[in-house]
Amino acid sequence: MSPSFRALLLAVSFVPAAIAQVTVTNDPDLAVDAGTLETLDFSDAPAPLSLHRPGGIHYACKCLPGESCWPSAQKWNALNTTVNGRLRIHIPPGASCHNSFNGPFGTVNAYDPVKCAEATQNWSNEQWHVEQPGASLWTYFTNDTCRPTTDPNEPCTLGYYGVYVIMANKKQHVKAGIDFARRNNIRLIVRNTGHDFIGRSTGYGALIINMHAFQDITWMNSYTGPGFYHGGAVKIGAGVQANTILAQGHAKNPPRVVVTGECPTVGISGGFIQGGGHGPWTTLKGFSADNVLSFEAITASGQYVTANQYQNPDLFYALKGGGPASFAVILSTTMKTFTDLPSAGATLYINTTHTFDPNVIWNGTAIFHKWSNHFVDNGLYAYFEILPFTFRVRPWVAIGKTKAQLESILQPMLSELDAAGVPYDFESKAFPTFYDLYIDLFEPEAAGDSALTGGWMFNHHDVATNNDGIIEALKTAAAPRSDLFGIIIGHLFNPGYGAPHSNSATHPAWRNATDFVITVLPVPVGSSLAQKADLQNVLTNVMDEALRSASTSGCTYVNEADPYQPNWQSAFWGSEYPKLRALRFKWDPLGVFYAVSTPGTEKWEVIDYGTRLCRRL
């Protein structure tokens, strides 16, 4: 270990009393007026680093380690004191399998056989990644430079991970991180669970605020306002995951639920709800964002605010689907709750146990998809996958319906499969509650893969008039080139069924949705920049272009789609975008927060081979 790096490690691990703390200007409880803010003060922010590039391009950039504008060890030490010693130098989770970690401040002896065995065993385990300080569950946007290995001599660098992590467990810690990033022109990453497909939980040279320790949950039998809603509600800390809130709700009498994501490890507050948030209850109750009653948050200027229908209503609107890491850091979310209901579920499989003929499998897929309007118009949700030689639906979800009612809805599709001679396995079940269905029929998802992600939404009109065209587009996405294969993950839901009038910032086209499809293109670890550029081109201009061409919706989902697609502003938000862009410049005019392809980021770029975050001037 180099002497300078050892000194820095000591500085952030053992804080001498003689070093002054960074002063938090608000009182210890951050008791800022929760009413509408008249002004947002950014006067303490320095001028950004100015850079010129060939071709006369002029940038204003965030500071990086090694530059004169990078904060001194004393400043980082003071930040550590302010956050009660919870600042960490970030070392990638796979570093323990490598002899050395070559970080931005020097080289560290990293090998630890016990921790390496743990990392290797858990690399595909989502919850293990969630519990790491700064890990991203899908690793492409980390640059895959430090994965578990059986060869400790393999190089290990920081890749595109952040440099420091605040393991925040108080709102004062969050404020301190925001203030430090703003005052020192440092890239800021807000990480909830790291359940992120498109790189918004990582960033080279960044300070990460880890929100996972915010686990408070407060259940309310009757919400007291403000507003006209007085039903059941729950206040959810920023770090609470779907499995936790659903389990707690199930223990209530009667059992309660909230609109969560399909995956149990997804955090509810934060990026999920800032993107809209869809899941098995969405057909019946709308997006998660449609069910929010209030937020507690900290703004880019470091002010603690409440945002609801009457207090900071423009921020309230923007946080409900207006884009992750864009307007403020959410500390807690208060949401409507609903009585859990008896439910029914079903599964369908067509794979190599039935046939090796891909035409038969695609014929079955087409018949299934032909009936997708029928499914959502009867209040169902469905999760399906298209893999090489495999089509599977696991599961259909029929909340508040009996097994017989679900079978009756599905019977026309099953009859058509039989008439076409498509072999399949089908099973349906009854459950006392949705939660029991959720535990039984939804499968754990894997982490640690390197892939690019895209996707598109098909509406009712698309399915009714162009189902054959949709299937041809799915075939293209599944086999975009002779040397490549894609994976397709589909979700049948319609927020407009149960919430026909949006009260969130989500794209208006969602109110006539039928099928949201995620496309996945695996990326080999160790791919060159040229190979990555080629695969990105395939995703954007072959796979997703086929989906866009087969659809009239003009819409996709901000949390699970290609951020580099053309016209992302319209695709993610439609007519809501101009308002969101204006609100971004009100609440965060300096770009303290940044996530790719979110409102107001048109001039922001990550240049210098994915390392330097800059705004083009």
Side-chain angles (χ1 to χ4, degrees):
M1 183 187 299
S2 66
S4 61
F5 187 56
R6 180 183 295 111
L8 187 56
L9 269 175
L10 290 172
V12 298
S13 300
F14 308 99
V15 183
I19 294 180
Q21 296 186 21
V22 174
T23 301
V24 176
T25 56
N26 292 346
D27 69 28
D29 291 327
L30 302 177
V32 175
D33 180 12
T36 299
L37 299 175
E38 298 298 331
T39 62
L40 298 171
D41 184 7
F42 294 89
S43 61
D44 59 355
L49 178 68
S50 179
L51 289 179
H52 292 273
R53 285 293 182 263
I57 302 175
H58 188 196
Y59 290 103
C61 301
K62 303 284 187 179
C63 289
L64 294 180
E67 295 175 339
S68 60
C69 58
W70 184 255
S72 65
Q74 286 85 355
K75 285 187 175 182
W76 287 108
N77 192 23
L79 174 62
N80 187 46
T81 301
T82 304
V83 300
N84 306 117
R86 300 185 70 83
L87 182 68
R88 306 282 186 268
I89 290 179
H90 187 230
I91 297 177
S96 58
C97 294
H98 300 257
N99 284 333
S100 60
F101 164 59
N102 300 307
F105 307 117
T107 300
V108 178
N109 295 326
Y111 185 71
D112 183 322
V114 175
K115 290 184 177 180
C116 176
E118 176 190 339
T120 301
Q121 179 181 356
N122 289 287
W123 197 249
S124 63
N125 183 308
E126 283 194 338
Q127 190 60 37
W128 183 85
H129 281 267
V130 168
E131 302 296 336
Q132 305 309 303
S136 184
L137 272 64
W138 281 34
T139 61
Y140 174 81
F141 287 98
T142 71
N143 205 30
D144 278 317
T145 54
C146 193
R147 299 171 67 91
T149 178
T150 57
D151 180 6
N153 292 317
E154 286 187 4
C156 171
T157 68
L158 191 60
Y160 297 150
Y161 280 119
V163 177
Y164 289 97
V165 186
I166 298 173
M167 301 299 293
N169 65 0
K170 298 179 181 179
K171 57 189 177 183
Q172 294 93 332
H173 300 163
V174 181
K175 173 183 166 53
I178 295 170
D179 288 344
F180 189 88
R182 184 185 66 252
R183 291 168 178 163
N184 292 280
N185 190 36
I186 301 297
R187 185 173 181 179
L188 183 66
I189 296 293
V190 182
R191 181 193 184 273
N192 187 334
T193 62
H195 197 288
D196 174 61
F197 295 128
I198 49 184
R200 290 172 174 151
S201 293
T202 60
Y204 186 87
L207 169 64
I208 303 167
I209 301 177
N210 184 306
M211 302 293 293
H212 188 54
F214 289 79
Q215 293 288 329
D216 289 346
I217 300 174
T218 303
W219 295 87
M220 295 165 249
N221 292 329
S222 179
Y223 181 67
T224 58
F228 297 105
Y229 177 79
H230 297 295
V234 63
K235 183 178 178 181
I236 303 170
V240 174
Q241 296 168 265
N243 49 10
T244 301
I245 193 67
L246 290 174
Q248 278 203 17
H250 183 65
K252 297 289 178 183
N253 186 16
R256 308 293 292 174
V257 295
V258 298
V259 180
T260 67
E262 164 271 326
C263 179
T265 63
V266 171
I268 304 305
S269 297
F272 172 74
I273 229 157
Q274 287 175 292
H278 68 83
W281 278 79
T282 293
T283 297
L284 297 184
K285 300 297 181 181
F287 282 115
S288 288
D290 294 321
N291 293 281
V292 175
L293 299 167
S294 186
F295 293 107
E296 292 179 325
I298 302 183
T299 69
S301 59
Q303 300 185 71
Y304 172 60
V305 298
T306 296
N308 55 43
Q309 184 179 354
Y310 299 103
Q311 297 168 288
N312 303 301
D314 59 349
L315 180 61
F316 180 55
Y317 156 82
L319 290 174
K320 295 190 300 176
S326 297
F327 300 95
V329 177
I330 296 173
L331 298 171
S332 72
T333 304
T334 301
M335 299 180 64
K336 297 176 182 178
T337 64
F338 307 100
T339 301
D340 202 353
L341 298 171
S343 300
T347 58
L348 176 78
Y349 298 90
I350 308 172
N351 52 40
T352 54
T353 64
H354 310 101
T355 180
F356 284 93
D357 186 346
N359 293 322
V360 173
I361 296 174
W362 277 112
N363 189 25
T365 305
I367 292 170
F368 158 83
H369 203 270
K370 170 187 171 183
W371 289 94
S372 54
N373 281 349
H374 171 71
F375 300 148
V376 298
D377 288 347
N378 278 276
L380 304 189
Y381 168 93
Y383 183 90
F384 69 90
E385 295 170 314
I386 300 173
L387 306 162
F389 291 98
T390 297
F391 172 76
R392 65 200 303 262
V393 186
R394 186 185 174 106
W396 277 280
V397 177
I399 297 167
K401 297 187 187 305
T402 65
K403 179 173 176 286
Q405 288 173 317
L406 174 59
E407 290 173 346
S408 176
I409 295 168
L410 299 182
Q411 188 55 54
M413 177 207 67
L414 296 174
S415 296
E416 188 167 347
L417 289 173
D418 292 337
V422 176
Y424 59 86
D425 287 329
F426 173 82
E427 183 180 13
S428 60
K429 293 183 179 181
F431 297 90
T433 65
F434 160 76
Y435 180 79
D436 292 290
L437 180 156
Y438 184 77
I439 294 300
D440 185 54
L441 293 184
F442 283 91
E443 299 171 310
E445 295 183 4
D449 292 325
S450 185
L452 290 165
T453 303
W456 201 252
M457 185 268 278
F458 299 106
N459 61 25
H460 271 49
H461 178 77
D462 298 332
V463 174
T465 64
N466 192 33
N467 193 63
D468 290 345
I470 293 172
I471 297 303
E472 289 304 312
L474 295 178
K475 289 180 180 179
T476 297
R481 207 167 63 191
S482 61
D483 60 329
L484 299 173
F485 73 93
I487 298 168
I488 296 166
I489 303 169
H491 313 75
L492 302 187
F493 62 83
N494 178 18
Y497 178 88
H501 303 292
S502 171
N503 65 9
S504 63
T506 53
H507 197 306
W510 284 111
R511 304 301 149 171
N512 191 37
T514 293
D515 180 13
F516 169 60
V517 166
I518 298 175
T519 52
V520 180
L521 182 60
V523 179
V525 174
S527 294
S528 66
L529 290 175
Q531 289 171 318
K532 291 178 179 179
D534 173 55
L535 293 174
Q536 180 66 60
N537 179 65
V538 169
L539 178 77
T540 302
N541 297 312
V542 179
M543 297 170 69
D544 279 10
E545 177 58 28
L547 303 184
R548 289 191 292 267
S549 297
S551 172
T552 63
S553 74
C555 176
T556 190
Y557 181 62
V558 61
N559 286 346
E560 297 168 320
D562 177 12
Y564 304 109
Q565 65 186 285
N567 304 314
W568 55 266
Q569 299 92 333
S570 176
F572 290 148
W573 290 286
S575 59
E576 304 295 312
Y577 186 77
K579 181 178 179 181
L580 290 168
R581 187 174 186 272
L583 288 174
R584 178 62 176 274
F585 291 134
K586 171 188 174 180
W587 288 94
D588 184 18
L590 302 183
V592 175
F593 306 127
Y594 171 79
V596 63
S597 299
T598 51
T601 59
E602 284 85 352
K603 292 186 177 181
W604 287 91
E605 300 177 44
V606 181
I607 64 172
D608 294 353
Y609 305 102
T611 60
R612 188 182 295 275
L613 177 61
C614 302
R615 181 168 57 88
R616 183 181 290 206
L617 300 176

